[in-house]
Amino acid sequence: MADVKELIPEFFYLPDFLLNTNKFELGEKQSGVKLNHIGLPPWAKGDAREFVRKHREALECDYVSAHLHEWIDLIFGYKQQGKPAVEANNVFHYLFYEGNVDIYSIDDPLKRNAIIGFINNFGQIPKQLFKRPHPQKKVKKLDPASSAPSPATQSVSHYSVSSDRFFFSNPECLKPCMSPLKELQESVGQITQTEKLTVLAVEQHKILLPPLYSKYLAWGFLDHSLRICNYDSEKALIVFENLESGEILCACCPNTRTIITAGSSTVVNVWKLSDSRGKAVAKLRQPLYGHTAPVLCMAVSSAFNILVSGSVDQTCIIWDLSRLRYVTQLANHKAPVAAIAVNNLTGAIASCASSWLYLWSVNGELLASVDTASTGIGSLQINCVCMSEANEWDTDNVIITGSSDGVTRMWSVELIKQSKSPFVNRSKLASRANEQTKSLDHPELASLDSTNPMTSVSSASEEFVDLSSDALLRSQSSSTQSVTSSLSAGRPVPTARRTLSVQSEDSSTEEGRVQPVPAKRRTVSECNWKRQLIFRSKLTMHTAYERKDNKEPAAVTAVACSRDHRSVFVGDAKGRVFSWSMAEGSGPADHWIKDEEQDSCTQCDSKFTTTNRRHHCRNCGQLFCAKCSKHEIEVPQRKYYKPVRVCLVCYKTLKSHT
């Protein structure tokens, strides 16, 4: 073999190394094209983050895990040297092997420099660690068809590790608890789960102190003091007075010795806790100046050692906690920033201003934004936000927002194809999500337009219509077939493509029909890929104002994910903490009407009794008697792939789509 080179670790976690962010002059090609960013293959969709994510997804998949021992044998194991290396075609130049040459014993400088350059150019074999075959990692049984990697043109998701056990893979399957886990005296400010899986929660103006969470930091007192209290007894253990010149509005604690406060003074103060003569003292380490208005929220990431602060001045600032220096500013928010979250796996930053949700990279690049008010009714204010942190390469990971309307919403990031053609109809994705949500919650409304398969289609595909001539011909001949197959498989139905009636100069007519000239296949350069936040699901039971069966609705003020990512915790303005989890077996779904809210059948109005029991339609969630809900059918949009009980209206609607 000619050289010893492999993919460096940056290929699996750092997309920035592929980008010429600093605008260095890298010269020109012979064709005159200036060199800038690294050219990416078509499957990367022109996005360095997607390129790295797919590499990481492939690295973490079951196929690689099942064959990882073979790579270890070649690089560090028994196939590195000797007869096994010859049989495996794993032999390199003798200078590449450790200990084969002592460059310090070579007196001739010309020969020594030549050998050093030779090794630097072509690489060096690492030290041999194993003399026997490395054992194979235990993974789930692979499909025989996947015994070899897929071609480069295919997706690696076929070999990916299954993440169905996480709530964000199937958020529709989350089932709510019917009573609060905890009830506090005031609005919930923070929820966390300890290593022992105990759920802890505190009110607003309080934060739990890591790593044991047995104490909390409290502020918002009339004397502007800062207090450390015991979580169980709520007794004040330490009181710090006269720390801030103004009112403290937010605080965070990255470790046991550091407290960060901010508020009406616009200054972010970093305090160091120490003992002086047996008494705890808070000493100011560094004031951080940058905001021009009161600071409303902060979030800290110990993994990336950064602090993010949000202010009334409609900006966020990223601070380096190691040097206590300004890093960059996240500007152009549409309102005061009210909530911030940092992903400890990817460094992504989510900021919320009014009803807008923004997603930033750790370097301050705006990745995507969305107005969440388009999926609700009336004006909204996002009060809290958090992000799932499991398998950072999984595109199903969600951003969870809690709003003033009592609804908890989940969002995912997707790369959406956008055509450069001026004829493309770009409808808003948020409006699409709203319509899909309404059709799920009210199938009787959706059924009005669903009798004709061509009119009951989603607007998702309508945004990016392929206007090439051959695509138009294909769409005319296969539109009905594609709609029928999509409905039977439970997938979203593609929008019927619009046929252009304009005849081009290169077209010819035959029997009154327009015959377009076959167009060239669209290249990657003719399409742009844009990262967008897509609505995934919402949680409405107990807190949402839009539900009539919620007797005590309230704004959502805190959200959190469980450590195993099988549950979601939601806290509201009334001090209640609820949970939604991926429970095994049967149980009430989030969209089901509560039993105690209705005493008669929705369709026939017969009273529910001991013999005439209540039954929920698995699709619309309404209550029916046994006679009116005797039909059974699959409901793929609700993740029911076996026949389940539905009402007559939903049965007819779903039946017409199969």
Side-chain angles (χ1 to χ4, degrees):
M1 291 187 178
D3 55 10
V4 186
K5 293 180 181 178
E6 294 184 5
L7 296 182
I8 59 177
E10 284 76 5
F11 275 88
F12 303 98
Y13 80 94
L14 187 65
D16 303 84
F17 87 102
L18 298 168
L19 304 175
N20 184 22
T21 307
N22 294 320
K23 306 297 181 184
F24 291 123
E25 293 291 339
L26 303 177
E28 297 181 354
K29 296 182 180 180
Q30 293 180 347
S31 59
V33 178
K34 288 187 176 182
L35 295 176
N36 194 14
H37 304 308
I38 297 295
L40 301 175
W43 52 261
K45 303 176 182 178
D47 187 88
R49 295 181 180 277
E50 181 68 6
F51 179 83
V52 171
R53 187 197 68 79
K54 290 207 172 195
H55 272 81
R56 182 63 183 274
E57 182 182 18
L59 180 66
E60 301 289 350
C61 72
D62 287 337
Y63 179 86
V64 171
S65 297
H67 295 79
L68 186 62
H69 65 288
E70 299 174 3
W71 174 82
I72 296 175
D73 290 338
L74 290 171
I75 306 301
F76 303 101
Y78 80 105
K79 290 184 179 180
Q80 185 193 95
Q81 300 180 25
K83 185 177 179 180
V86 176
E87 295 175 351
N89 195 23
N90 191 36
V91 180
F92 298 87
H93 194 278
Y94 76 98
L95 291 177
F96 296 168
Y97 292 90
E98 181 188 26
N100 277 10
V101 60
D102 184 7
I103 60 175
Y104 299 103
S105 64
I106 302 175
D107 297 330
D108 186 358
L110 186 62
K111 184 178 180 181
R112 183 173 61 249
N113 291 336
I115 293 176
I116 293 175
F118 197 65
I119 295 175
N120 289 338
N121 238 350
F122 298 97
Q124 188 172 18
I125 300 293
K127 184 179 181 64
Q128 188 177 22
L129 301 178
F130 310 107
K131 302 293 185 180
R132 292 180 296 179
H134 194 279
Q136 182 179 7
K137 181 180 178 180
K138 294 182 179 180
V139 295
K140 66 180 182 179
K141 188 176 181 180
L142 294 176
D143 184 14
S146 64
S147 58
S150 61
T153 56
Q154 297 181 4
S155 174
V156 298
S157 60
H158 178 70
Y159 306 106
S160 297
V161 179
S162 175
S163 58
D164 292 341
R165 62 184 183 275
F166 299 137
F167 76 86
F168 54 75
S169 297
N170 297 298
E172 303 85 358
C173 298
L174 281 170
K175 297 178 181 179
C177 64
M178 301 313 295
S179 59
L181 294 180
K182 289 183 174 293
E183 293 190 65
L184 308 181
Q185 296 179 354
E186 298 177 5
S187 301
V188 181
Q190 182 189 12
I191 307 172
T192 190
Q193 190 177 40
T194 64
E195 293 182 355
K196 297 182 179 180
L197 304 183
T198 303
V199 179
L200 305 178
V202 292
E203 295 88 347
Q204 290 185 338
H205 303 297
K206 296 178 182 178
I207 57 167
L208 292 162
L209 301 181
L212 300 178
Y213 303 107
S214 59
K215 302 175 184 178
Y216 64 84
L217 181 70
W219 66 92
F221 303 101
L222 294 178
D223 58 356
H224 294 178
S225 63
L226 203 64
R227 305 177 186 181
I228 296 179
C229 307
N230 183 277
Y231 178 80
D232 295 324
S233 64
E234 298 188 359
K235 179 182 178 180
L237 304 177
I238 305 173
V239 179
F240 304 105
E241 296 180 332
N242 303 321
L243 293 182
E244 288 272 359
S245 59
E247 181 183 1
I248 299 176
L249 300 178
C250 57
C252 61
C253 183
N255 53 63
T256 56
R257 289 294 179 180
T258 305
I259 293 177
I260 306 173
T261 60
S264 59
S265 65
T266 75
V267 182
V268 178
N269 292 314
V270 182
W271 306 88
K272 182 179 180 181
L273 299 183
S274 59
D275 294 331
S276 178
R277 297 179 181 179
K279 184 179 180 180
V281 177
K283 183 180 179 181
L284 181 62
R285 247 184 97 187
Q286 180 75 41
L288 304 177
Y289 300 96
H291 289 292
T292 59
V295 180
L296 299 179
C297 56
M298 291 189 296
V300 65
S301 172
S302 300
F304 287 85
N305 217 16
I306 60 171
L307 168 72
V308 186
S309 57
S311 171
V312 178
D313 60 13
Q314 302 184 12
T315 66
C316 293
I317 294 180
I318 302 178
W319 310 90
D320 183 354
L321 282 182
S322 298
R323 299 177 298 169
L324 297 180
R325 298 287 181 85
Y326 168 93
V327 177
T328 189
Q329 185 185 64
L330 312 180
N332 300 324
H333 290 81
K334 296 183 180 294
V337 181
I340 300 173
V342 182
N343 191 313
N344 286 311
L345 291 182
T346 64
I349 301 169
S351 59
C352 305
S354 184
S355 61
W356 280 84
L357 171 63
Y358 301 85
L359 182 65
W360 312 80
S361 71
V362 69
N363 292 323
E365 176 191 0
L366 180 61
L367 302 178
S369 63
V370 66
D371 184 7
T372 63
S374 58
T375 61
I377 301 175
S379 60
L380 291 180
Q381 171 65 51
I382 301 178
N383 298 324
C384 51
V385 62
C386 75
M387 289 186 276
S388 60
E389 298 178 353
N391 297 351
E392 60 266 33
W393 62 88
D394 194 341
T395 56
D396 285 338
N397 272 288
V398 295
I399 304 174
I400 307 175
T401 59
S403 306
S404 57
D405 62 350
V407 178
T408 302
R409 295 175 175 85
M410 300 183 191
W411 309 83
S412 285
V413 183
E414 292 184 11
L415 282 171
I416 304 299
K417 188 176 181 180
Q418 293 187 332
S419 173
K420 293 183 180 180
S421 173
F423 299 103
V424 176
N425 178 17
R426 295 184 175 91
S427 58
K428 293 183 178 180
L429 290 176
S431 300
R432 179 192 72 181
N434 189 25
E435 294 300 323
Q436 290 177 344
T437 305
K438 289 180 179 179
S439 64
L440 285 176
D441 294 339
H442 306 286
E444 64 277 3
L445 299 179
S447 63
L448 296 177
D449 295 330
S450 62
T451 54
N452 184 359
M454 297 304 297
T455 61
S456 61
V457 294
S458 169
S459 62
S461 301
E462 192 177 61
E463 298 178 28
F464 316 108
V465 182
D466 192 351
L467 297 179
S468 59
S469 303
D470 52 343
L472 290 174
L473 291 177
R474 291 195 305 268
S475 65
Q476 293 173 3
S477 62
S478 61
S479 58
T480 306
Q481 181 179 0
S482 62
V483 170
T484 306
S485 60
S486 297
L487 288 171
S488 60
R491 299 189 300 269
V493 184
T495 304
R497 294 187 173 96
R498 300 179 180 179
T499 304
L500 300 181
S501 59
V502 180
Q503 182 176 352
S504 63
E505 296 178 359
D506 297 332
S507 302
S508 59
T509 58
E510 180 182 349
E511 297 181 0
R513 296 179 59 189
V514 177
Q515 302 292 334
V517 177
K520 296 181 180 179
R521 177 175 294 182
R522 175 170 299 188
T523 61
V524 178
S525 60
E526 294 177 1
C527 299
N528 289 332
W529 293 87
K530 185 177 180 181
R531 199 177 298 272
Q532 295 188 2
L533 288 165
I534 306 299
F535 176 79
R536 288 282 303 281
S537 183
K538 65 178 181 178
L539 308 176
T540 59
M541 188 170 284
H542 305 305
T543 58
Y545 285 92
E546 64 185 41
R547 290 185 56 154
K548 296 181 180 179
D549 58 331
N550 288 337
K551 291 185 177 180
E552 297 183 69
V556 176
T557 57
V559 289
C561 303
S562 64
R563 284 180 174 267
D564 59 1
H565 282 78
R566 290 186 59 85
S567 301
V568 177
F569 304 114
V570 176
D572 65 11
K574 295 184 181 294
R576 302 170 298 179
V577 178
F578 299 97
S579 72
W580 280 256
S581 59
M582 301 287 290
E584 299 291 341
S586 60
D590 181 76
H591 66 286
W592 287 12
I593 299 296
K594 296 179 181 178
D595 290 352
E596 61 271 15
E597 296 303 319
Q598 193 169 327
D599 58 359
S600 61
C601 175
T602 303
Q603 183 171 340
C604 66
D605 206 29
S606 60
K607 296 292 182 181
F608 294 130
T609 62
T610 306
T611 56
N612 188 24
R613 297 177 56 191
R614 295 175 173 85
H615 297 278
H616 283 93
C617 172
R618 269 43 175 183
N619 187 45
C620 66
Q622 300 293 328
L623 285 169
F624 297 89
C625 63
K627 182 179 179 181
C628 297
S629 60
K630 61 182 180 180
H631 305 281
E632 292 188 353
I633 195 174
E634 298 89 348
V635 190
Q637 65 267 26
R638 297 288 186 188
K639 304 300 180 182
Y640 294 115
Y641 298 107
K642 294 181 180 180
V644 290
R645 184 187 295 269
V646 294
C647 65
L648 179 60
V649 176
C650 292
Y651 178 79
K652 291 181 178 179
T653 303
L654 295 169
K655 193 68 175 178
S656 63
H657 289 172
T658 57

